[in-house]
């Protein structure tokens, strides 16, 4: 009897899910290289599923393929929001293998990384066109946000009417200037955080639930 | 996204190399994206031409460069849409549309012909006028292998520029008044036009500019790439791998969906 009840409950859950209006939204984590996208994706995934999404690195373009973590269930204020998190490669207009040589990388490895990073940008742009329902745009708050890449990507996101949150990352660093980030994109909400240190994650999850729930 | 000659409205499929040798119809050297909603916009004429993409030496690879940090892609696209509408269908403001179209051509005199692309100058007949003002459907375009023609998954596409002196037989000078279509080199005799010839780049410069503007990914050198984000975003197909020799593999939308 218990088995039957369990089975019934399981079917009910599956049916609910099938016809729910709250299918998991696919949220793309976008931004320039080294903004902390993967660190954020890992933070979210670890907080709510226990698993990581991918390796983090201080070397730019560590993430060269989009990685997806499905069914991340975030609980906020007694409700739960389920999203699929897509960690995307950093978007840039130029990739140069010489940039990687500074990190003690062999030239052949640097060239390969450069090529893969370029493919990664293509993939990220394609995901943006086809497969995301919302965007978390991650910026390094110690860097100047007024760049062509940021302007263009935010413009594309706006043109698609996707819900977007700007995350000003790395507030644990002294040079962080969150005001500069929020004034660069005043039309969007900017959430300060440190994905690495886990600072202000409560607000991060509140906003994710609010925007993408 | 397809490209369009700003002079005569000739539409080139996305990724076409044909335009590298100038527009086969009018010889024009200025092109712009043809936004998907090109017919939707309405409003006054964009006579200032802010949405056009004039080749400049320093221009970065993103073609529809946002006019300012505060500008948005949507605004740029909307501006381009208006521009296309004015040029392609412009009759209400025909004078300015025609003038700007021919003006654009004359800004780059004879560049399209240095390549040996012989174009016959003829008076515009009704068919040509129709071709100039109408939009070309994909079936009417030349059968030329381009990345967009890839019907097969993972098809290897030659991404390197290949010179295509492909001017069609029916070169159309788009000056509707036929004022100067009698000459054999109409684009050199532009003294009566407001734009002079001083900005003319040589053909390799022009090609480089067009390459910058229209290639999704440009291989500068081994391991060095320049990316055209708008073009990458606009592509239907998805570039999945690059090779150093300039070739790349794509997956077309029907085959790549559902998994990534």
């Amino acid at each position: 009897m218990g088995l039957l009840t369990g089975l019934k409950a399981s079917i009910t859950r599956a049916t609910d899910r099938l016809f729910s209006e709250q299918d998991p939204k696919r949220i793309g984590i976008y931004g320039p290289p080294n903004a902390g996208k993967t660190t954020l994706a890992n933070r979210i995934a670890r907080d709510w599923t226990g698993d990581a999404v991918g390796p983090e690195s201080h070397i730019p373009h560590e993430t060269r393929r989009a990685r997806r973590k499905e069914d991340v269930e975030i609980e906020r204020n007694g409700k739960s929001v389920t999203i699929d998190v897509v960690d995307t490669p950093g978007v840039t207009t130029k990739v140069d293998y010489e940039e990687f040589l500074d990190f003690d990388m062999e030239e052949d490895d640097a060239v390969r990384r450069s090529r893969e990073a370029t493919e990664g940008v293509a993939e990220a742009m394609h995901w943006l066109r086809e497969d995301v329902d919302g965007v978390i745009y991650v910026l390094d708050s110690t860097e100047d946000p007024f760049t062509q890449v940021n302007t263009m990507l935010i413009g594309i996101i706006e043109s698609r009417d996707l819900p977007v949150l700007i995350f000003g990352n790395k507030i644990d660093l002294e040079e962080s200037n969150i005001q500069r980030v929020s004034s660069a994109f005043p039309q969007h909400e900017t959430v300060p955080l440190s994905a690495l240190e886990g600072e202000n994650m409560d607000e991060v999850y509140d906003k994710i639930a609010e925007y993408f729930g | 996204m397809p490209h369009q000659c700003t002079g005569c409205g000739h539409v080139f499929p996305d990724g076409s190399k044909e335009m590298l040798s100038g527009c086969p119809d009018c010889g024009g050297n200025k092109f712009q994206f043809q936004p998907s909603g090109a017919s939707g916009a309405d409003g006054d004429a964009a006579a200032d031409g802010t949405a056009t993409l004039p080749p400049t030496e320093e221009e970065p690879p993103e073609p529809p460069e946002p006019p300012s940090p505060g500008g948005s892609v949507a605004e740029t696209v909307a501006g381009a849409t208006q521009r296309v509408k004015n040029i392609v269908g412009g009759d209400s403001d025909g004078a300015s549309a025609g003038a700007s179209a021919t003006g654009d051509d004359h800004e780059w005199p004879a560049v399209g012909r240095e390549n040996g692309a012989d174009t016959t100058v003829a008076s515009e007949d009704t068919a040509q006028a129709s071709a100039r003002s109408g939009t070309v459907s994909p079936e009417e375009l030349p059968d030329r292998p381009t990345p967009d023609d890839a019907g097969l998954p993972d098809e290897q596409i030659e991404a390197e520029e290949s010179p295509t002196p492909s001017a069609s037989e029916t070169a159309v000078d788009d000056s509707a008044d036929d004022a100067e279509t009698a000459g054999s080199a109409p684009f050199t005799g532009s003294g009566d036009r407001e734009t002079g010839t001083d900005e003319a780049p040589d053909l390799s410069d022009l090609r480089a500019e067009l390459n910058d503007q229209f290639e999704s990914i440009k291989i500068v050198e081994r391991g060095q790439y320049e990316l055209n984000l708008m073009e990458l975003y606009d592509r239907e197909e998805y570039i999945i791998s690059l090779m150093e020799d300039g070739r790349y593999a794509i997956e077309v939308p029907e085959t790549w969906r559902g998994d990534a």
Side-chain angles (χ1 to χ4, degrees):
Chain A
M1 194 62 181
L3 183 66
L4 198 61
T5 311
L7 188 63
K8 191 178 172 188
S10 171
I11 291 171
T12 306
R13 273 201 304 275
T15 313
D16 283 350
R17 170 153 236 157
L18 200 59
F19 297 105
S20 167
E21 289 182 3
Q22 294 189 335
D23 281 341
K25 291 212 172 97
R26 198 173 280 180
I27 307 304
I29 299 180
Y30 278 82
N34 257 23
K37 296 179 294 300
T38 303
T39 305
L40 173 67
N42 283 341
R43 168 72 59 181
I44 295 173
R46 283 200 186 103
D47 280 356
W48 300 101
T49 73
D51 298 328
V53 172
E56 304 161 19
S57 168
H58 63 290
I59 307 177
H61 297 293
E62 179 68 21
T63 305
R64 300 187 292 282
R65 299 307 306 254
R67 294 195 188 91
R68 187 169 60 192
K69 186 75 184 171
E70 294 184 315
D71 294 333
V72 178
E73 190 172 344
I74 296 172
E75 291 176 15
R76 287 285 101 177
N77 304 322
K79 293 200 305 184
S80 83
V81 174
T82 304
I83 58 173
D84 294 347
V85 174
V86 184
D87 181 30
T88 69
V91 175
T92 183
T93 55
K94 280 186 180 161
V95 183
D96 188 340
Y97 76 98
E98 290 182 0
E99 180 185 4
F100 308 130
L101 296 179
D102 298 337
F103 295 94
D104 285 337
M105 202 176 286
E106 294 294 326
E107 182 170 321
D108 284 349
D109 291 338
V111 167
R112 187 184 320 118
R113 188 184 185 93
S114 174
R115 187 180 67 240
E116 291 173 357
T118 303
E119 293 164 4
V121 176
E123 183 176 15
M125 296 307 291
H126 202 86
W127 273 85
L128 187 56
R129 174 190 168 107
E130 306 271 346
D131 281 285
V132 294
D133 304 311
V135 172
I136 292 171
Y137 198 82
V138 181
L139 288 166
D140 179 344
S141 62
T142 70
E143 302 278 340
D144 182 4
F146 291 98
T147 67
Q148 196 176 41
V149 167
N150 292 338
T151 306
M152 181 170 289
L153 279 181
I154 295 289
I156 289 173
I157 292 161
E158 288 171 350
S159 72
R160 282 205 53 203
D161 278 335
L162 292 172
V164 58
L165 278 171
I166 311 271
F167 280 11
N169 196 19
K170 307 192 186 183
I171 58 170
D172 55 304
L173 299 180
E174 206 170 303
E175 318 87 90
S176 169
N177 185 345
I178 203 71
Q179 181 59 40
R180 190 170 50 176
V181 175
S182 51
S183 59
F185 303 103
Q187 69 275 38
H188 300 293
E189 184 139 17
T190 297
V191 184
L193 78 155
S194 166
L196 186 65
E197 301 296 334
E199 290 179 34
N200 203 34
M201 293 307 290
D202 273 339
E203 186 184 358
V204 163
Y205 294 131
D206 283 345
K207 291 297 177 188
I208 288 176
E210 178 185 338
Y211 272 69
F212 308 126
Chain B
M1 190 179 286
H3 312 296
Q4 188 171 41
C5 174
T6 61
C8 69
H10 187 110
V11 177
F12 300 82
D14 190 11
S16 170
K17 305 292 181 301
E18 196 179 0
M19 67 180 76
L20 294 174
S21 300
C23 176
D25 281 351
C26 73
N29 300 315
K30 280 191 176 181
F31 306 91
Q32 61 189 2
F33 289 121
Q34 184 193 33
S36 53
S39 59
D42 203 356
D44 56 357
D48 58 357
T50 51
T52 57
L53 308 168
T56 59
E57 291 302 318
E58 297 81 20
E59 188 165 340
E62 299 81 8
E65 180 178 311
S68 69
S72 74
V73 173
E75 288 167 2
T76 307
V77 171
T81 302
Q82 183 58 52
R83 179 78 174 161
V84 168
K85 183 174 168 59
N86 288 338
I87 291 171
V88 174
D91 43 15
S92 63
D93 194 8
S96 81
S100 77
T102 50
D104 286 348
D105 292 332
H106 291 283
E107 201 171 343
W108 310 99
V111 170
R113 278 119 181 109
E114 291 173 16
N115 198 22
D118 290 329
T119 52
T120 309
V121 178
S123 296
E124 186 177 78
D125 60 26
T126 53
Q128 289 165 336
S130 160
R132 182 165 61 83
S133 58
T135 304
V136 181
S137 69
E139 304 88 275
E140 294 174 85
L141 290 168
D143 245 356
R144 187 181 306 280
T146 72
D148 289 322
D149 293 330
L152 300 171
D154 292 5
E155 182 171 348
Q156 299 296 317
I157 301 296
E158 194 69 53
E160 287 175 330
E161 175 192 335
S162 56
T164 52
S166 56
S168 70
E169 301 301 325
T170 59
V172 178
D173 188 293
D174 57 1
S175 52
D177 56 7
D178 281 0
E180 54 183 334
T181 54
S184 59
F187 298 104
T188 58
S190 59
D192 57 336
R193 298 292 169 180
E194 60 194 61
T195 50
T197 63
D198 48 335
E199 287 185 83
D202 66 25
L203 188 58
S204 61
D205 285 345
L206 175 69
R207 282 213 175 114
E209 283 301 327
L210 290 173
N211 216 9
D212 277 350
Q213 289 183 9
F214 294 110
E215 286 300 314
S216 306
I217 295 171
K218 179 183 178 187
I219 303 173
V220 182
E221 282 183 41
R222 178 173 177 262
Q224 295 178 325
Y225 300 91
E226 289 180 1
L227 295 94
N228 182 333
L229 298 182
M230 274 309 289
E231 183 72 357
L232 285 170
Y233 173 73
D234 285 332
R235 293 183 82 100
E236 291 244 335
E237 69 277 12
Y238 161 39
I239 297 175
I240 53 172
S241 74
L242 293 163
M243 276 140 279
E244 290 294 331
D245 62 0
R247 295 163 71 88
Y248 56 85
I250 63 167
E251 236 178 285
V252 291
E254 300 83 82
T255 60
W256 89 278
R257 271 184 217 282
D259 194 8

